[in-house]
Amino acid sequence: ASMRNSRLLRAAACAAALTAALTGLDAFAQLGRVARRAASVIDRPPPPAELADGGGDDKYELRFLSNLERVREVRPWLLLASPEERREIERALAFRSQPRYAGRCFFCVGVFRNDQLQGISTCEERSDITDIVTFFLPRRVLRCFTILTKPRVKTIAGEVLVRGVLMMAKMNKCRPDFENLKEGPGQRYYKMGRLLGGSGSK
Protein backbone atom coordinates (compact mmCIF):
# COMPACT_ATOMS: atom_id res chain seq x y z
CA ALA A 1 0.00 0.00 0.00
CA SER A 2 2.85 2.37 0.82
CA MET A 3 4.49 1.67 -2.57
CA ARG A 4 1.17 2.27 -4.31
CA ASN A 5 0.71 5.57 -2.46
CA SER A 6 4.25 6.58 -3.35
CA ARG A 7 3.60 5.90 -7.03
CA LEU A 8 0.38 7.88 -6.89
CA LEU A 9 2.20 10.82 -5.29
CA ARG A 10 4.92 10.71 -7.97
CA ALA A 11 2.30 10.58 -10.70
CA ALA A 12 0.47 13.54 -9.19
CA ALA A 13 3.72 15.51 -8.96
CA CYS A 14 4.52 14.75 -12.62
CA ALA A 15 1.04 15.82 -13.66
CA ALA A 16 1.39 19.09 -11.73
CA ALA A 17 4.79 19.78 -13.32
CA LEU A 18 3.42 19.06 -16.80
CA THR A 19 0.47 21.39 -16.19
CA ALA A 20 2.83 24.16 -15.06
CA ALA A 21 5.03 23.65 -18.12
CA LEU A 22 2.07 23.75 -20.48
CA THR A 23 0.80 26.89 -18.77
CA GLY A 24 4.19 28.54 -19.31
CA LEU A 25 4.25 27.48 -22.96
CA ASP A 26 0.77 28.85 -23.47
CA ALA A 27 1.82 32.19 -21.97
CA PHE A 28 4.83 32.33 -24.29
CA ALA A 29 2.63 31.43 -27.25
CA GLN A 30 0.37 34.34 -26.38
CA LEU A 31 3.45 36.56 -26.50
CA GLY A 32 4.00 35.49 -30.10
CA ARG A 33 0.38 36.07 -31.13
CA VAL A 34 -0.21 39.64 -30.05
CA ALA A 35 -3.14 40.88 -32.10
CA ARG A 36 -3.87 44.27 -33.59
CA ARG A 37 -6.84 44.77 -31.32
CA ALA A 38 -4.59 44.74 -28.24
CA ALA A 39 -5.24 48.26 -26.92
CA SER A 40 -7.56 50.87 -28.33
CA VAL A 41 -7.39 53.12 -25.29
CA ILE A 42 -3.95 54.57 -26.02
CA ASP A 43 -2.59 56.82 -28.74
CA ARG A 44 -2.03 54.03 -31.23
CA PRO A 45 -0.58 54.41 -34.73
CA PRO A 46 -2.85 53.97 -37.76
CA PRO A 47 -3.51 50.39 -38.88
CA PRO A 48 -1.61 48.89 -41.79
CA ALA A 49 -2.92 49.94 -45.18
CA GLU A 50 -3.92 46.42 -46.16
CA LEU A 51 -6.03 46.13 -42.99
CA ALA A 52 -7.64 49.49 -43.61
CA ASP A 53 -8.56 48.21 -47.07
CA GLY A 54 -10.30 45.19 -45.61
CA GLY A 55 -7.45 42.72 -45.12
CA GLY A 56 -8.33 39.88 -42.74
CA ASP A 57 -5.01 38.62 -41.34
CA ASP A 58 -4.09 40.99 -38.53
CA LYS A 59 -1.88 38.70 -36.41
CA TYR A 60 1.60 39.71 -35.40
CA GLU A 61 4.31 37.31 -34.24
CA LEU A 62 7.28 38.05 -31.98
CA ARG A 63 10.55 36.22 -32.60
CA PHE A 64 14.07 36.48 -31.21
CA LEU A 65 16.56 37.61 -33.86
CA SER A 66 20.23 36.66 -34.05
CA ASN A 67 22.83 39.29 -34.92
CA LEU A 68 23.00 38.04 -38.52
CA GLU A 69 19.21 38.02 -38.92
CA ARG A 70 18.92 41.55 -37.54
CA VAL A 71 21.55 42.94 -39.90
CA ARG A 72 20.11 41.12 -42.91
CA GLU A 73 16.54 42.26 -42.23
CA VAL A 74 17.14 45.80 -40.97
CA ARG A 75 20.00 47.12 -43.13
CA PRO A 76 17.72 47.60 -46.20
CA TRP A 77 15.60 49.99 -44.08
CA LEU A 78 18.39 52.57 -44.40
CA LEU A 79 17.36 53.20 -48.01
CA LEU A 80 13.89 54.36 -46.92
CA ALA A 81 14.78 56.12 -43.67
CA SER A 82 14.80 59.80 -42.80
CA PRO A 83 18.03 61.22 -41.28
CA GLU A 84 16.63 60.79 -37.76
CA GLU A 85 15.50 57.24 -38.50
CA ARG A 86 18.92 56.43 -40.00
CA ARG A 87 20.62 57.27 -36.71
CA GLU A 88 18.29 54.94 -34.81
CA ILE A 89 18.71 52.16 -37.36
CA GLU A 90 22.50 52.45 -37.23
CA ARG A 91 22.38 52.18 -33.44
CA ALA A 92 20.25 49.05 -33.73
CA LEU A 93 22.65 47.55 -36.30
CA ALA A 94 25.59 48.16 -33.95
CA PHE A 95 23.81 46.34 -31.10
CA ARG A 96 25.05 42.83 -30.33
CA SER A 97 22.93 40.08 -28.82
CA GLN A 98 24.80 38.03 -26.21
CA PRO A 99 23.83 35.01 -24.12
CA ARG A 100 23.66 35.40 -20.36
CA TYR A 101 27.07 36.15 -18.87
CA ALA A 102 27.82 37.54 -15.40
CA GLY A 103 24.10 38.04 -14.84
CA ARG A 104 23.53 40.06 -18.04
CA CYS A 105 21.81 39.09 -21.28
CA PHE A 106 21.42 41.16 -24.48
CA PHE A 107 18.81 40.19 -27.06
CA CYS A 108 16.76 41.49 -29.98
CA VAL A 109 13.08 40.80 -30.62
CA GLY A 110 11.42 41.26 -33.99
CA VAL A 111 7.72 41.54 -34.77
CA PHE A 112 6.57 39.87 -38.00
CA ARG A 113 3.38 40.06 -40.01
CA ASN A 114 2.95 37.48 -42.76
CA ASP A 115 6.64 36.58 -42.25
CA GLN A 116 7.69 40.17 -43.02
CA LEU A 117 9.65 42.04 -40.36
CA GLN A 118 7.72 45.12 -39.22
CA GLY A 119 9.79 46.29 -36.24
CA ILE A 120 12.50 45.39 -33.73
CA SER A 121 13.35 46.02 -30.11
CA THR A 122 16.81 45.70 -28.53
CA CYS A 123 16.90 44.86 -24.83
CA GLU A 124 19.05 43.90 -21.87
CA GLU A 125 18.17 41.85 -18.80
CA ARG A 126 20.39 42.41 -15.77
CA SER A 127 20.49 42.85 -12.00
CA ASP A 128 18.65 45.95 -10.84
CA ILE A 129 20.81 47.57 -8.17
CA THR A 130 19.88 51.23 -7.91
CA ASP A 131 20.07 51.88 -4.16
CA ILE A 132 20.97 50.30 -0.83
CA VAL A 133 17.66 48.43 -0.64
CA THR A 134 18.09 46.70 -4.01
CA PHE A 135 21.71 45.92 -3.09
CA PHE A 136 20.57 43.73 -0.20
CA LEU A 137 17.34 42.61 -1.92
CA PRO A 138 18.46 42.22 -5.54
CA ARG A 139 15.94 42.06 -8.36
CA ARG A 140 16.04 42.00 -12.15
CA VAL A 141 15.38 44.74 -14.70
CA LEU A 142 14.51 44.43 -18.40
CA ARG A 143 15.83 47.52 -20.18
CA CYS A 144 14.52 48.42 -23.61
CA PHE A 145 17.15 50.31 -25.65
CA THR A 146 15.39 50.71 -28.99
CA ILE A 147 12.01 50.26 -30.61
CA LEU A 148 12.11 50.68 -34.39
CA THR A 149 9.49 50.12 -37.05
CA LYS A 150 10.02 49.78 -40.78
CA PRO A 151 10.22 53.25 -42.40
CA ARG A 152 7.33 54.47 -44.54
CA VAL A 153 5.08 51.59 -43.50
CA LYS A 154 1.88 52.13 -41.53
CA THR A 155 2.03 49.55 -38.76
CA ILE A 156 1.22 48.98 -35.11
CA ALA A 157 4.44 46.98 -34.66
CA GLY A 158 5.76 49.54 -32.13
CA GLU A 159 2.79 48.98 -29.83
CA VAL A 160 3.12 45.21 -30.23
CA LEU A 161 6.79 45.44 -29.22
CA VAL A 162 6.01 47.54 -26.15
CA ARG A 163 3.45 44.97 -25.05
CA GLY A 164 5.87 42.14 -25.81
CA VAL A 165 8.61 43.71 -23.67
CA LEU A 166 6.15 44.20 -20.82
CA MET A 167 4.97 40.59 -21.07
CA MET A 168 8.53 39.24 -21.11
CA ALA A 169 9.37 41.37 -18.07
CA LYS A 170 6.37 39.96 -16.24
CA MET A 171 7.15 36.36 -17.23
CA ASN A 172 10.77 36.73 -16.04
CA LYS A 173 9.85 38.72 -12.91
CA CYS A 174 11.75 41.80 -14.07
CA ARG A 175 11.03 45.49 -13.73
CA PRO A 176 10.47 46.98 -17.22
CA ASP A 177 12.59 50.05 -18.01
CA PHE A 178 11.94 52.27 -21.06
CA GLU A 179 14.16 55.19 -19.98
CA ASN A 180 16.35 54.89 -23.09
CA LEU A 181 13.32 55.81 -25.22
CA LYS A 182 12.60 58.99 -23.31
CA GLU A 183 14.19 61.23 -25.93
CA GLY A 184 14.06 61.12 -29.72
CA PRO A 185 11.74 59.19 -32.03
CA GLY A 186 11.06 56.49 -29.42
CA GLN A 187 9.46 58.95 -27.00
CA ARG A 188 5.91 57.83 -27.80
CA TYR A 189 6.87 54.24 -26.90
CA TYR A 190 8.40 55.45 -23.63
CA LYS A 191 5.05 57.01 -22.73
CA MET A 192 3.20 53.91 -23.87
CA GLY A 193 5.43 51.65 -21.78
CA ARG A 194 4.92 53.83 -18.70
CA LEU A 195 1.18 53.86 -19.24
CA LEU A 196 0.76 50.13 -19.82
CA GLY A 197 3.41 49.05 -17.33
CA GLY A 198 1.93 50.96 -14.40
CA SER A 199 3.92 51.97 -11.35
CA GLY A 200 6.44 49.13 -11.77
CA SER A 201 7.81 50.47 -15.05
CA LYS A 202 10.29 53.29 -15.52
Side-chain angles (χ1 to χ4, degrees), residues 27-125:
F28 191 79
Q30 292 178 20
L31 176 63
R33 296 193 298 269
V34 182
R36 178 173 68 93
R37 60 180 180 275
S40 58
V41 297
I42 57 178
D43 177 24
R44 53 188 298 180
E50 61 268 33
L51 294 182
D53 292 337
D57 185 5
D58 58 356
K59 294 295 180 66
Y60 288 79
E61 180 184 4
L62 290 174
R63 305 178 195 167
F64 290 105
L65 296 179
S66 68
N67 290 321
L68 289 176
E69 289 171 326
R70 184 183 65 259
V71 172
R72 184 186 68 234
E73 295 282 352
V74 175
R75 189 181 294 279
W77 293 4
L78 289 168
L79 299 175
L80 304 173
S82 67
E84 188 175 37
E85 289 171 330
R86 285 183 65 89
R87 287 192 293 271
E88 293 299 310
I89 292 173
E90 287 167 355
R91 284 179 55 196
L93 289 173
F95 179 85
R96 286 293 175 265
S97 298
Q98 297 177 6
R100 189 179 300 277
Y101 177 75
R104 302 175 69 182
C105 176
F106 296 88
F107 61 92
C108 176
V109 177
V111 58
F112 290 79
R113 183 175 184 275
N114 298 331
D115 282 328
Q116 298 296 314
L117 184 66
Q118 302 293 307
I120 65 166
S121 175
T122 58
C123 304
E124 174 195 22
E125 182 189 333

